[in-house]
Amino acid sequence: MMHAPLAPELLDYADEIGMLIIQEVPVWGREDPQAYTDNPVVRQWLKEMINRDYNHPSVIAWSVANELVLDVDDWKKMRMSNEQQAYIASMIRYVRSQLDSTRLLTYVSLTAFRPMVTPANDPAGLCDFICFNNYGDFVQAAKDIHEKWPDKAVFVAEFGQSQIGYNKDAVLSNKVLSHLKQLGKLPYIAGASLWSYNDYRSSFPGTPLGGDRTWGVVDVWRNPKKAADQIAQVFSPVKTIQTDWEPAKHKMRVTIVPRKKDDLPAYMLKGYRLKWELLAKNGSILHVDSLLLKDIHPGDSSQSQGLDYPPTFNPYTLRVQLMNPIGYVVH
């Protein structure tokens, strides 16, 4: 979520809703001066973060750095210095041996997929899983990483194509949507995370004149753009929900089409509910009901359910929602 330890309140919320978190210390970017072997300052940061947050079940991994590279202009020649590599090795060793031997360890790479990088000159192989950031062809980047480290799961820690834009009609690029479909076909991919949820104030080069980096699917005030609906659809736990509604007969049939095994995401749905509402023309709710669904596994056949409602209602709209076990709408 950020290149620094997270607020305890945010971790409490992640615990509550079942979100999986990678926590990270603030060692980031080109030739960060903190990136040297056994740096006592970073060791203290890691110790304080892990001691404070050790009992949060949402925290599944610790990250010791983000985008460490030599300061070179040619992106194809980007690599890590020997000192940066030694820093990664020393901090992974320190956490594993002295602070927490139970969680996954990683850092976020900006080099592992580059042509001149090999397992001999990059520390990605020391990670339990490889994280990388890429704003181009992140599918090919993932393939290149897998070719070099075939025994590692890969997580796309940041992906994107360009800033989405500030207005409410702003959308994700077709290239990003196409890449996401391709990414799910790679069996070693653990997941992917769009940069970013919200627009944010910045003085970074390339920031629009308004002063906001407009990467978000919501703006700085958290008003959603069209991109928010797109990303919700892309990461929905089911492929689609189809509804055949016959108002004259006061009945409907709802069909849930599960994800395939090679989709992204693809996981079992247990304890999910189908909620349906009948609404009047003014938007008021005339009737609401829900039912518990059978467990849904990736690759299952479609699950169909016939539903009837009393003829006393004369609804103008039908709304169907898939709810997860703690009541959040996921489709």
Side-chain angles (χ1 to χ4, degrees):
M1 289 189 173
M2 63 180 295
H3 313 310
L6 299 170
E9 294 85 356
L10 182 54
L11 292 174
D12 287 342
Y13 182 63
D15 293 343
E16 178 184 332
I17 67 173
M19 181 176 283
L20 307 182
I21 299 295
I22 303 170
Q23 282 243 74
E24 189 169 79
V25 287
V27 180
W28 173 83
R30 297 182 180 224
E31 300 195 4
D32 187 312
Q34 299 289 358
Y36 62 88
T37 305
D38 290 322
N39 181 342
V41 172
V42 180
R43 284 168 66 103
Q44 183 65 21
W45 289 347
L46 286 163
K47 183 177 180 180
E48 289 182 10
M49 177 177 68
I50 293 171
N51 284 348
R52 188 195 71 170
D53 299 333
Y54 185 87
N55 287 317
H56 282 284
S58 57
V59 178
I60 61 164
W62 310 112
S63 170
V64 301
N66 194 293
E67 295 188 353
L68 291 179
V69 292
L70 282 167
D71 193 9
V72 295
D73 292 329
D74 188 340
W75 281 63
K76 291 183 179 179
K77 295 182 179 179
M78 273 192 176
R79 62 179 180 84
M80 295 175 69
S81 68
N82 292 337
E83 187 175 56
Q84 289 168 340
Q85 293 182 59
Y87 162 82
I88 296 291
S90 69
M91 291 306 161
I92 287 179
R93 181 172 58 247
Y94 170 61
V95 174
R96 185 171 284 138
S97 64
Q98 298 189 42
L99 299 179
D100 185 0
S101 63
T102 68
R103 283 183 175 87
L104 302 169
L105 292 172
T106 191
Y107 73 97
V108 182
S109 178
L110 197 61
T111 59
F113 52 85
R114 301 191 185 278
M116 65 182 300
V117 168
T118 70
N121 63 13
D122 196 272
L126 300 175
C127 299
D128 293 314
F129 65 105
I130 297 175
C131 292
F132 76 95
N133 296 344
N134 187 282
Y135 288 83
D137 189 344
F138 50 88
V139 177
Q140 186 58 51
K143 291 177 179 178
D144 292 341
I145 290 173
H146 177 67
E147 188 173 336
K148 299 170 188 178
W149 293 278
D151 61 328
K152 300 292 182 180
V154 177
F155 181 76
V156 189
E158 294 177 24
F159 69 85
Q161 192 65 49
S162 60
Q163 294 187 53
I164 295 170
Y166 67 90
N167 66 65
K168 64 180 182 180
D169 293 324
V171 295
L172 300 172
S173 73
N174 289 332
K175 190 172 288 186
V176 163
L177 296 174
S178 175
H179 285 339
L180 281 172
K181 288 182 180 179
Q182 298 171 50
L183 198 66
K185 309 302 180 185
L186 307 180
Y188 45 86
I189 290 293
S193 179
L194 175 75
W195 183 272
S196 62
Y197 168 65
N198 59 279
D199 294 349
Y200 52 94
R201 302 291 288 174
S202 176
S203 59
F204 194 78
T207 299
L209 291 177
D212 294 332
R213 299 287 280 181
T214 57
W215 295 95
V217 298
V218 301
D219 66 18
V220 290
W221 305 109
R222 305 314 191 254
N223 298 310
K225 309 170 187 177
K226 282 188 177 179
D229 288 334
Q230 287 180 302
I231 206 70
Q233 183 70 28
V234 166
F235 286 106
S236 167
V238 297
K239 190 77 172 179
T240 186
I241 298 177
Q242 301 167 355
T243 306
D244 181 19
W245 183 29
E246 297 182 79
K249 296 181 179 180
H250 315 293
K251 66 180 182 178
M252 70 191 83
R253 177 160 293 277
V254 179
T255 302
I256 296 175
V257 182
R259 292 281 188 182
K260 297 178 181 178
K261 290 183 179 180
D262 62 355
D263 279 347
L264 179 72
Y267 51 87
M268 184 182 76
L269 278 63
K270 185 179 181 68
Y272 281 64
R273 301 189 73 87
L274 189 70
K275 178 182 177 182
W276 52 282
E277 298 172 329
L278 303 175
L279 290 84
K281 192 170 185 178
N282 64 4
S284 62
I285 297 175
L286 302 172
H287 182 72
V288 60
D289 205 345
S290 70
L291 60 92
L292 182 66
L293 296 169
K294 297 177 182 177
D295 293 352
I296 301 174
H297 297 79
D300 280 356
S301 56
S302 298
Q303 187 176 134
S304 189
Q305 182 73 45
L307 302 166
D308 300 312
Y309 58 89
T312 52
F313 298 116
N314 184 28
Y316 181 76
T317 305
L318 166 67
R319 179 163 59 205
V320 178
Q321 298 174 319
L322 181 65
M323 315 285 291
N324 71 11
I326 55 175
Y328 284 87
V329 176
V330 295
H331 194 106

